[in-house]
Amino acid sequence: QVQLVESGGGLVQAGGSLRLSCEASGRTISDYVVGWFRQAPGKEREFVVRISRGGGGTYYTDSVKGRFTISRDNAKNTVYLQLGNLRPEDTGVYYCAASRFGGATTNRDYDYWGQGTQVTVSS
């Protein structure tokens, strides 16, 4: 199995940027599709974006298109999420997750999860 650890969260003003990292251990991350989810206070965890094993395919939820960019460096066993033009509604705990399913977009599709990193966007 694979263990995932997120980092890079923090407090940022609206319009600002952050880069999140998801580092894998235990197994090579290239075996998995990797997704990012987020959970705002009082809300359910929601899908944000996923990236294919080789990095050539990505799928974003509509609310982050053009603002967030996912990438991966399989040699470093790490997936990144660049957050740009941040809005207060982007606030939440961001989780990365790994799946063997190519079309994974729901929580149930993912088998392994990190502990999350907090992103707070002030207005």
Side-chain angles (χ1 to χ4, degrees):
Q1 60 182 21
V2 63
Q3 292 80 43
L4 304 172
V5 177
E6 302 94 335
S7 61
L11 173 63
V12 63
Q13 290 187 333
S17 301
L18 284 173
R19 189 176 82 156
L20 308 183
S21 298
C22 172
E23 185 172 2
S25 62
R27 292 196 61 165
T28 177
I29 204 170
S30 61
D31 288 343
Y32 300 92
V33 170
V34 175
W36 285 92
F37 289 73
R38 65 186 179 188
Q39 186 167 21
K43 295 188 177 181
E44 293 186 353
R45 188 162 56 188
E46 64 173 357
F47 171 81
V48 176
V49 59
R50 71 165 186 261
I51 188 166
S52 62
R53 292 173 181 81
T58 58
Y59 180 76
Y60 295 84
T61 195
D62 286 346
S63 63
V64 307
K65 286 180 181 177
R67 301 189 299 120
F68 292 7
T69 303
I70 191 171
S71 61
R72 67 191 300 161
D73 185 341
N74 287 339
K76 294 184 178 180
N77 241 17
T78 302
V79 173
Y80 305 98
L81 182 61
Q82 181 71 41
L83 313 179
N85 192 19
L86 282 161
R87 305 167 180 169
E89 56 263 39
D90 294 318
T91 293
V93 179
Y94 282 68
Y95 300 89
C96 67
S99 172
R100 292 188 176 277
F101 173 44
T105 56
T106 70
N107 289 274
R108 291 175 296 178
D109 293 331
Y110 288 82
D111 301 303
Y112 305 104
W113 294 83
Q115 83 290 346
T117 186
Q118 176 71 45
V119 171
T120 304
V121 184
S122 63
S123 57

